[in-house]
DNA sequence: CTTCTGCCCTGGGAGC
DNA sequence: TGCTCCCAGGGCAGAA
């Protein structure tokens, strides 16, 4: 499934291959894949057609393209008022297509297809493919972010789509990354919560882009148990797990590859990272790579939490 | 206000 | 073999 590093790889690829293109037409094959949008798929198509994709921006796992009318280009420096917003959910892909016959590559789970003109590459279509339909597209108004500071990789805009307004920055954000001014404040906010550390890591209002997999991997690296109460953690513990989460994501991003030949493959959402690099997630019963103890799986929020019971000592009361 | 639960959806795989 | 059921996941609405 696309985690934050995959979404960033997709953003980077789309920035290179399709930003600047104009949407000539839109096909919606499944209404449910266009959500959070007044007027539904019909309005979605109308609002998107004739718009230029002016940039590719990401915050957490949200990805968006600020829009500009193609027939009335705004003056330089003007800000977009709306954006095409995408969330890939757990199975979404944005596939860049360059062929001339679109029927040649009609994926069985194709939900939405954008027809493009004038891309900076040979791209002709962007296909939104999503098997499990947890992902969606919409056109959303851009709203100022409350804290005003620039945010989102790929942009210095201080505005985000409405549905993203309550989503915190992520650990690759220039304002929040290791050593940046916002990092200490994030650690303080984590410790101010009265919950378990893994719940805080997954809370999109605290920090975004950390999913179930990376939460477990980061906690294993930081040798912290998922149930540790946030308000009783030491500051250094919180920093250690945040650093670990950023590190895991940067390693995955590096493995995504950056060569141009690989670009189409990477835009298409493949990573290969998870096949070899996971230390605890999905490894129940397999030996911990640090101490050999069998990895344990606990039920957690109708999901799972994977830990090494020796490296990550459970708190007294769970 | 903060914290937490249940739900959305599909198809692969396990179990019978 | 074919059927049923469970599971995965992020983020949201609404309850506590």
């Amino acid at each position: 499934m696309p985690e934050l590093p995959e979404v960033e790889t997709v953003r980077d690829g789309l920035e290179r291959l399709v930003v600047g293109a104009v949407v000539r037409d839109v096909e919606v094959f499944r209404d449910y894949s266009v959500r959070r949008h007044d007027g539904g798929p019909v309005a979605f198509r109308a609002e998107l057609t004739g718009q230029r994709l002016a940039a590719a921006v990401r915050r957490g796992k949200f990805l968006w393209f600020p829009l500009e009318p193609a027939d009335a280009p705004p003056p330089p420096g003007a800000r977009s008022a709306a954006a095409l917003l995408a969330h890939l959910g757990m199975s979404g892909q944005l596939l860049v297509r360059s062929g001339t016959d679109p029927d040649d590559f009609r994926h069985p789970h194709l939900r939405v297809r954008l027809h493009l003109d004038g891309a900076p590459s040979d791209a002709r279509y962007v296909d939104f493919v999503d098997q499990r339909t947890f992902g969606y597209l919409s056109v959303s108004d851009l709203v100022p972010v409350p804290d005003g500071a620039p945010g989102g990789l790929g942009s210095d805009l201080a505005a985000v789509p409405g549905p993203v307004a309550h989503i915190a920055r992520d650990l690759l954000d220039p304002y929040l990354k290791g050593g940046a001014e916002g990092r200490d404040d994030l650690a303080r906010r984590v410790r101010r919560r009265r919950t378990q550390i893994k719940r805080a890591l997954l809370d999109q209002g605290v920090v975004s882009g950390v999913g179930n997999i990376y939460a477990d991997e980061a906690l294993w690296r930081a040798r912290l148990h998922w149930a540790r109460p946030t308000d009783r953690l030491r500051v250094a513990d919180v920093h250690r797990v945040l650093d670990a989460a950023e590190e895991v994501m940067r390693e995955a991003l590096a493995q995504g590859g950056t060569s141009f030949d690989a670009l189409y493959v990477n835009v298409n959402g493949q990573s290969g990272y998870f096949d070899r690099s996971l230390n605890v997630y999905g490894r129940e019963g397999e030996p911990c790579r640090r101490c050999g103890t069998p990895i344990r799986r606990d039920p957690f929020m109708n999901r799972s939490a994977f830990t090494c019971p020796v490296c990550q000592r459970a708190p007294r009361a769970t």
Side-chain angles (χ1 to χ4, degrees):
Chain A
M1 79 225 61
E3 293 282 329
L4 186 147
E6 285 75 29
V7 180
E8 172 55 20
T9 300
V10 169
R11 186 206 66 78
D12 179 69
L14 292 169
E15 181 172 71
R16 300 180 198 213
L17 297 172
V18 306
V19 161
V22 174
V23 178
R24 189 181 74 249
D25 199 4
V26 178
E27 293 176 276
V28 177
F29 299 102
R30 192 176 181 107
D31 287 358
Y32 187 72
S33 294
V34 175
R35 288 206 290 283
R36 300 159 144 265
H37 189 97
D38 295 338
V42 172
F44 174 78
R45 178 179 181 220
E47 290 170 32
L48 203 46
T49 301
Q51 298 288 311
R52 187 182 308 279
L53 306 176
V57 190
R58 181 189 58 73
R59 175 177 283 205
K61 298 182 191 176
F62 285 89
L63 179 62
W64 67 91
F65 305 86
L67 299 172
E68 294 173 352
D71 54 1
R79 285 188 176 159
S80 300
L84 168 62
L85 176 65
H87 197 294
L88 301 181
M90 57 186 296
S91 58
Q93 296 172 279
L94 288 167
L95 306 181
V96 175
R97 305 297 208 184
S98 57
T100 52
D101 183 353
D103 290 332
D104 286 348
F105 37 80
R106 190 172 296 273
H107 191 284
H109 302 307
L110 176 62
R111 309 306 189 193
V112 179
R113 168 170 284 169
L114 308 183
H115 299 237
L116 302 179
D117 277 336
S121 65
D122 56 359
R124 299 279 304 275
Y125 309 92
V126 171
D127 284 355
F128 179 60
V129 170
D130 188 14
Q131 179 200 109
R132 296 186 189 177
T133 67
F134 262 42
Y136 63 88
L137 304 181
S138 72
V139 173
S140 298
D141 289 341
L142 291 167
V143 300
V145 287
D147 55 16
L153 217 56
S155 170
D156 58 0
L157 296 176
V160 302
V164 185
H166 68 288
I167 301 293
R169 296 162 191 279
D170 59 69
L171 292 168
L172 301 188
D173 186 296
Y175 180 78
L176 213 57
K177 65 184 182 183
E181 52 182 319
R183 190 62 159 255
D184 285 342
D185 183 56
L186 170 61
R188 274 193 293 274
R189 278 191 316 219
V190 169
R191 290 180 75 232
R192 240 184 275 134
R193 304 300 294 246
R194 297 162 65 91
T195 186
Q196 298 162 337
I197 181 60
K198 185 170 174 181
R199 282 180 180 271
L201 291 174
L202 296 176
D203 187 332
Q204 301 299 294
V206 175
V207 61
S208 68
V210 181
N212 201 41
I213 296 173
Y214 285 168
D216 280 359
E217 292 299 310
L219 288 164
W220 180 83
R221 289 195 187 201
R223 299 179 189 246
L224 292 173
H225 191 272
W226 56 268
R228 293 281 294 276
T230 45
D231 54 355
R232 284 160 56 188
L233 286 174
R234 288 169 298 200
V235 183
D237 290 330
V238 176
H239 275 291
R240 216 168 59 247
V241 73
L242 293 175
D243 291 349
E246 181 181 347
E247 187 179 76
V248 175
M249 291 193 287
R250 288 199 188 280
E251 288 172 11
L253 192 54
Q255 290 201 21
T258 53
S259 80
F260 191 78
D261 286 345
L263 200 49
Y264 275 97
V265 173
N266 291 332
V267 165
N268 292 351
Q270 297 168 19
S271 167
Y273 173 76
F274 296 115
D275 294 340
R276 17 179 213 283
S277 301
L278 294 180
N279 287 302
V280 281
Y281 183 84
R283 296 191 65 237
E284 181 181 15
E286 296 175 45
C288 170
R289 297 198 215 277
R290 271 194 306 246
C291 73
T293 307
I295 298 300
R296 169 191 171 103
R297 185 184 75 83
D298 294 311
F300 172 83
M301 290 175 77
N302 290 325
R303 287 169 180 75
S304 299
F306 295 91
T307 49
C308 169
V310 170
C311 296
Q312 300 165 270
R313 290 267 309 280
R316 283 171 201 272
T318 45

